[in-house]
Structures are given as C-alpha cells and as structure tokens.
Amino acid sequence: MKTHFELPKAALSVMTLLEDKGFEVYLIGGYVRDLLIGRQSTDLDMATNASAKAMIEIFNDHPLSLIGEKLGTVGVKIEDTWVELTTYRSESTSSNYRHPDEVRFIGSLKDDVLRRDFTINALALNVYGDLIDYTDGLNDLEQKRIRAIVHPEDRFAEDALRILRALRFSSQLGFSIEAQTAQAMIADQDLVKTLPIERIAAELDKLILADHASEVMRAYPQLIKPWFDYDLEALDKLVHFSDKALRYLCLLNKMGHDEIEKQLTSLKFSKAFIKMVLDLKALSLISTHDRYSIKVLMGQYGNELLDLAIRYQKIMGIAGIDPDTYQKLKSEKPAVTLKMLALNGNDLTELGYTGKEISTSLNALLDLVMNEKIENNREALIKALKKLH
C-alpha cells in the first residue's frame, strides 16, 4: 500500500499557513484511513501544536467555528471547505464514560495519536503527503482489522461510544474486529448504558444502513439487541433493501404495530419515519388482486409507498398485493383521490350545492369512478351527480 499522497487543496492551504508560522500540523483520522482504502471522504480533521488562540489569529480572515475552542478545536472554512483543527492533547480517565475528566494540551503528535480510538483512525499525513503511523494502523488497514489502540479497556472507559463505533466501522468497511478488542467490547458493554440514547441510536442507524450490517448484527447480537431487538432470522434478507424504512421493517418484521412503534420511538426516530415504517407494515399484511381495493390503497398511501411495500412482500416471500394489477393501474393513472376528479368543490358550488352535500357528493362520485361505473370527465360526473340527488 502506498505511503505518499497528494493532499486536498483545502488541507494543503491550511497546513501551509500553519507551517509558515512555525507550527506542526498533520491531516489525521478518517480522511487518511479512507484515502488509503480508496473510500470517499470529506471530513478534513487535523492535529497541530498550535493553540486555539494561535489558530484564531492565523485564520482570522476566514470563517471560523469556535464551538470546540475550550477543547482546543477550531473549525476553519477555506477553499469552500470546512477543516477542523485540534491542538495536540491527551485525556485523563472519564468518570461518566463519555467526556474526559481533564484535557491536557501537549506538544507531541505521538502522544495525541495514542489517545485516539482505533489504529486505523490514527494514521496521519504531513504537509508533504507522507504517511505517519505510530500504532501499526497501516498493517491493520491492510488486514482489514479494527483494533483499539494499546489497551482496549482503557479506550472504552474513556468513551463508551467507541464500543458502538467499532461495530459501525466494521459494518461500513467490512473489517473484522480484532479478538482482544472484541472481548473488551463484550466485557465492557454495560458502559454503553451511560450514554444518551440519541448517541446510541445515531451509531446503530449508521451500522444498520451500511453494506455489511448483516454480518455485524449476526456476530454481535449481545451488543446491539439491548437497544434494538431485531430478528436474527431476517438478516439474510437485509442486503436486498437499500431503502431505510424497509431495512428497519425487515429487522422488525416479526413485531406487531405497537411493538414496532415502541421500538422506533425508544430510539428517538421522527414521527414521520415511524409512520412510514408502520404504514409499510400495514401494507405488508394486505393481500389482494382486486382493482378497486388496490385503487383505494393507491389513494390512501400513494404510489411511492406501494412500490416499497410490493418490493418488500416480494423479497420477504409474502403473498400480497398483486404486482401485475398494480402496475397496470399505475399505467392507467386512474382517479384515486378527490383532487384527481374532473369535478371539484368550486364546480359543485356553482351548480348550487352547499355545505356537507359538496363533500358527500364528491366522495360518492369518486367511488363510482373507482368502481369503473362512470368515466372521470366533467360531463359524465355532472350526469351522475344529478342521479345522486
């Protein structure tokens, strides 16, 4: 694997400015990891011996983000790209398994690297594009292996989220988790309980949507199921779903409406997403070849959701909504909602209808159209309207 690279324009601009002022600076972390394995990445993170104050002075002509200033982190926008700079630091133990009890700014890249989570995230590039590797991360990258730096128990005690991050990286990259690291993850799994559910859910979501989710969820159910009680038997089907809602429905397929709602609500998903999964669950239970019934579903749920539901039924082997009848109806574009009728409320008002009789009449006309008893054109609808009253 090559060890010399061309730096992105924004990174080179930032590094050159800092080096010209006499500071050290290195591109480090996820961007370097992804660059080495040919994976797309936009997160430019850097480590430097410059203080936050010095960085602010050097980049005072550029847009800055100072949210992490107290922790030595400054965001700089340059070449239309945000770059995050952090002063070299070491961290003490964490009493809450989330945030370090103390942050100490130090003058060594090596010491800064040793505080990081995994060896594959501890690789750095200098301003010349040369690779710096203090933790044998390049070897782990070549072996497609996730390994905690030095003592995994210490890394997880510093930040319990790293346990879930290891699973997420494994799912995204298709890497195995090194044995000692995996053992520590299982031994320290109770530490995850100290984390806010939002952080847990964010990592699980990335894990579930990644290409290798099935393998990870099959290998580490004891670390995932306490937060997301998925069906192990459904994992073989998961790879066939790219849509997020279908992925979650697949994993929760044995649950009923209320159980699914409770599970997704516990992970703080939006009401809109939960409704979408529940609507797909309801549709997955419907079996029909009837044109009128399918029209009702088209009007109630929309074609986009019906497309997903029929795909789900096919992959899961469920006898459900007849795809041929549905596709034929889609091509015909029948009126399935009041908005699609060739007559509307204003038309009925002009014809002398008032109040509730307007909506009652329109619904009756729509039902006649959907039952294919009359055509959806103004003349036929007015004629049918007169027969209704």
Side-chain angles (χ1 to χ4, degrees):
M1 192 176 284
K2 63 184 287 191
T3 57
H4 180 80
F5 301 88
E6 182 178 346
L7 296 172
K9 190 175 180 181
L12 186 59
S13 297
V14 168
M15 295 169 83
T16 300
L17 283 169
L18 281 166
E19 294 253 342
D20 286 348
K21 296 294 183 178
F23 294 106
E24 296 177 7
V25 59
Y26 298 88
L27 183 59
I28 195 166
Y31 185 90
V32 180
R33 176 200 69 222
D34 291 344
L35 181 65
L36 284 163
I37 61 176
R39 187 168 179 258
Q40 189 68 34
S41 179
T42 55
D43 296 329
L44 296 177
D45 296 318
M46 297 186 184
T48 177
N49 62 349
S51 66
K53 181 179 179 182
M55 288 187 271
I56 292 169
E57 291 176 357
I58 293 170
F59 297 104
N60 62 358
D61 291 334
H62 297 82
L64 299 175
S65 172
L66 304 179
I67 296 173
E69 182 184 358
K70 290 182 179 178
L71 296 175
T73 298
V74 174
V76 179
K77 190 175 185 181
I78 195 165
E79 307 286 353
D80 291 322
T81 302
W82 280 101
V83 178
E84 190 168 275
L85 291 151
T86 301
T87 306
Y88 297 153
R89 69 192 192 199
S90 65
E91 297 170 353
S92 64
T93 56
S94 172
S95 55
N96 64 5
Y97 308 108
R98 283 182 287 167
H99 307 110
D101 294 327
E102 180 185 2
V103 173
R104 295 185 296 274
F105 298 114
I106 53 180
S108 163
L109 173 66
K110 184 174 182 179
D111 287 339
D112 179 87
V113 160
L114 294 177
R115 75 173 175 82
R116 295 174 181 269
D117 53 7
F118 307 108
T119 61
I120 60 172
N121 294 334
L123 297 160
L125 295 175
N126 64 18
V127 70
Y128 305 107
D130 299 318
L131 185 70
I132 294 143
D133 180 10
Y134 289 119
T135 65
D136 205 22
L138 183 59
N139 181 49
D140 285 326
L141 206 58
E142 290 174 336
Q143 298 301 317
K144 296 185 176 182
R145 179 172 56 212
I146 296 166
R147 178 168 60 89
I149 293 173
V150 191
H151 302 297
E153 297 85 358
D154 293 341
R155 301 292 79 79
F156 300 140
E158 290 163 357
D159 185 354
L161 193 66
R162 288 170 171 171
I163 294 171
L164 298 180
R165 278 168 60 83
L167 297 175
R168 189 248 295 180
F169 287 133
S170 180
S171 183
Q172 290 178 327
L173 303 174
F175 287 14
S176 63
I177 300 175
E178 180 263 341
Q180 189 178 352
T181 300
Q183 289 168 8
M185 289 163 61
I186 293 168
D188 295 339
Q189 61 183 293
D190 283 349
L191 298 182
V192 177
K193 295 176 182 177
T194 65
L195 298 170
I197 191 62
E198 290 83 358
R199 296 187 77 194
I200 294 171
E203 291 297 328
L204 290 179
D205 191 53
K206 293 174 185 175
L207 184 166
I208 288 166
L209 297 180
D211 290 343
H212 300 275
S214 294
E215 299 97 297
V216 175
M217 298 179 84
R218 185 174 287 110
Y220 297 98
Q222 68 272 56
L223 297 178
I224 304 171
K225 284 177 75 70
W227 313 105
F228 182 68
D229 192 17
Y230 57 94
D231 177 15
L232 281 162
E233 295 177 7
L235 292 176
D236 289 338
K237 305 285 189 181
L238 193 62
V239 68
H240 299 292
F241 298 114
S242 57
D243 180 83
K244 178 175 176 175
L246 290 188
R247 282 214 156 194
Y248 275 89
L249 181 58
C250 174
L251 292 168
L252 301 174
N253 78 98
K254 287 188 177 179
M255 291 186 181
H257 177 285
D258 293 347
E259 290 176 293
I260 292 175
E261 184 174 25
K262 183 178 180 181
Q263 176 71 86
L264 296 179
T265 300
S266 72
L267 291 174
K268 305 293 185 180
F269 279 106
S270 69
K271 290 182 179 178
F273 179 73
I274 294 172
K275 182 181 184 302
M276 184 176 184
V277 176
L278 292 175
D279 283 347
L280 285 168
K281 175 64 177 181
L283 283 168
S284 75
L285 301 175
I286 296 172
S287 178
T288 181
H289 288 67
D290 179 64
R291 285 172 61 88
Y292 176 78
S293 298
I294 295 175
K295 287 180 188 178
V296 171
L297 296 176
M298 292 169 70
Q300 184 177 353
Y301 293 100
N303 290 356
E304 185 178 343
L305 215 59
L306 270 176
D307 287 339
L308 292 175
I310 290 172
R311 173 169 173 73
Y312 180 78
Q313 289 178 324
K314 180 180 178 181
I315 291 171
M316 298 298 286
I318 301 169
I321 301 164
D322 181 57
D324 294 333
T325 303
Y326 171 62
Q327 289 301 328
K328 191 172 188 303
L329 284 170
K330 274 180 70 175
S331 67
E332 294 173 6
K333 299 180 180 178
V336 294
T337 65
L338 290 177
K339 288 183 179 180
M340 300 173 75
L341 273 182
L343 212 61
N344 60 36
N346 291 332
D347 295 323
L348 264 67
T349 300
E350 290 177 4
L351 291 170
Y353 291 86
T354 59
K356 289 184 179 181
E357 64 179 346
I358 294 177
S359 61
T360 301
S361 298
L362 287 174
N363 280 301
L365 290 174
L366 178 62
D367 193 63
L368 289 170
V369 170
M370 289 175 64
N371 271 299
E372 302 174 12
K373 293 181 178 179
I374 58 171
E375 293 184 10
N376 184 31
N377 61 65
R378 183 180 175 86
E379 183 180 341
L381 291 172
I382 291 175
K383 185 176 179 180
L385 187 62
K386 292 176 180 177
K387 292 180 180 180
L388 291 174
H389 299 279

